[in-house]
Amino acid sequence: MNIAGLTIRAAAEGLAAKTFSSVELTQSVLDAIAARDGDLGAYLTVDAEGALAQASEADAARAAGREGPLLGVPVAIKDLINVRGQPCTCASKILEGYVSPYDATVAANLRAQGAVFAGRTNMDEFAMGSSTEHSAMKVTHNPHDLSCVPGGSSGGSAAAVAGGEAVAALGTDTGGSIRQPAAFCGCVGVKPSYGRVSRYGVTAYASSLDQVGPMTKTVEDAAILLQVLAGEDPHDGTTQRLPVPDYRVALAGGLQGMKIGLPKEYYIDGTDPEVMAAVRRAVDACAAAGAEIVDVSLPHTEYAIAVYYIVATAEASANLARFDGVRFGHRAKEPQNVFDLYARSRAEGFGTEVKRRIILGTYVLSSGYYDAYYGRAQKVRTLIRRDFDDAFQKCDVLLTPVAPTPAYKIGEASEDPLKMYLGDVFTVPANLAGLCGVSLPCGKTAGGLPLAFQFLAAPFREETLFRAAAGYERLSTNEG
Ligand code: GLN
């Protein structure tokens, strides 16, 4: 069976109709990984035996009368989400050999639905990066052009979905890490509102920004997956006590009558012309389908990158303090004393980008600099959030580019941290404001690389997001 174009929905239908079993489906995913992953490098580890055992359990459950949209469907998991009994390295040497003793809530939710864990996908170390080149384990290649990056930090998940090695995958988005790799690889990526999905068991990068979300081939698949991920969790006090609407119902609404805002700060010089042209075509298509296009302004956008790289690194420096060589992970040999143990375990275990961020984050939090950097960044974060509150008075969703460029060559940006950070200009504001967003494919460059745009909606307006996204997707597939 070829799983390249296979959606969650088609998989569920095939399983329900007994066209194939979950064991056959899972074996096809494993075969695809075996055949292609040498070129793509999307996966870090695959537990074939465990996946097949889960698949045969799902088949038995179905034979006994159980049903469900994810029952027996394999899903790939970014390697920072804990799954009991599986490695969880965060693509870092410091966690090499670590085996999770428990399930993250999102993993437990998938398990409860009878989903199969297809494998652990590559990422930038601790999700710090935009190209997956900061993985300490391996390079992941873009399935559309193997000489290009897949984006990041959830580059392995995006490459697996787009490259025919997964039905669907989970990623995380702290500052764009679902939406940007989805854009670079040509799949659908949803960043849920902050507090919509539990972070329990998801290795923390920046706790006030991180969210888990689906990376899929269609908008409907993203709705199916988010349905299972979303909801209040007693283990994560930041999850909101709000009902989870039926996201698939929202798919039918259509663009007719929706108000789409174009923030002028996102339509600026410096963005690649092919990206801009594709985004403009998407705007025109929405207008032709009956959406009303309105101009809006988000005046504090220019500060978003600076605010993000202060807040995210500050939180990272605190979160990563737990990796000290004592309780788990890499431990330096023959330490002289406890300080030497900490210092050398961390020096040996963390990669350059992670160290850079820990140092930066420690600096902005240190006494004497706290007010000037961290304190001020928090204030500007509030202003950025208010910009969005105002904009959403005038429109239902915003439509913007996801990244200023399509996928670039491996090696092109990895030596210049600032260049890489600036690529996050259109994605980080949504995280700072707690919004939900979706990255959608909208054509290809002349060279055959995917192009994309994003819709953003106010916090907990995922239905609005899905309505717009599904409405656009129908237009683009009708166009052929
Ligand atoms: N590229 C951004 C960073 O490096 C976002 C990463 C993410 O969303 N995990 O921090």
Side-chain angles (χ1 to χ4, degrees), residues 78 127-130 152-153 172-177 205 308-309 357 424:
K78 186 176 181 180
M128 297 173 184
S130 311
S153 63
T172 58
D173 193 312
T174 302
S177 280
Y205 163 15
Y308 171 82
Y309 276 95
R357 302 217 185 180
D424 300 334

Side-chain angles (χ1 to χ4, degrees), residues 78 80 123-131 134 152-154 172-181 205-206 209-211 308-309 312-313 353 357 420-421 423-424 427-428 431:
K78 186 176 181 180
L80 50 33
M123 54 185 282
D124 287 295
E125 184 175 0
F126 286 105
M128 297 173 184
S130 311
S131 67
H134 295 313
S153 63
S154 313
T172 58
D173 193 312
T174 302
S177 280
I178 289 175
R179 289 164 288 153
Q180 184 259 25
Y205 163 15
L209 303 162
D210 300 339
Q211 277 291 295
Y308 171 82
Y309 276 95
T313 57
E353 182 62 23
R357 302 217 185 180
M420 184 94 76
Y421 299 171
D424 300 334
T427 47
V428 297
N431 301 76

Side-chain angles (χ1 to χ4, degrees), residues 60 70 124 127 212 257 276 296 308 384 443:
L70 289 171
D124 287 295
V212 179
M276 220 12 126
V296 297
Y308 171 82
I384 290 169

Side-chain angles (χ1 to χ4, degrees), residues 45 83-84 91 156 194 349 456 473:
T45 44
V83 172
R84 193 178 62 236
Y194 185 79
L456 300 174
E473 186 181 53

Side-chain angles (χ1 to χ4, degrees), residues 150-199:
S153 63
S154 313
S157 290
V161 171
E165 292 186 33
V167 178
L170 296 192
T172 58
D173 193 312
T174 302
S177 280
I178 289 175
R179 289 164 288 153
Q180 184 259 25
F184 279 17
C185 290
C187 56
V188 175
V190 172
K191 176 230 172 292
S193 311
Y194 185 79
R196 181 77 286 187
V197 175
S198 170
R199 294 176 295 107

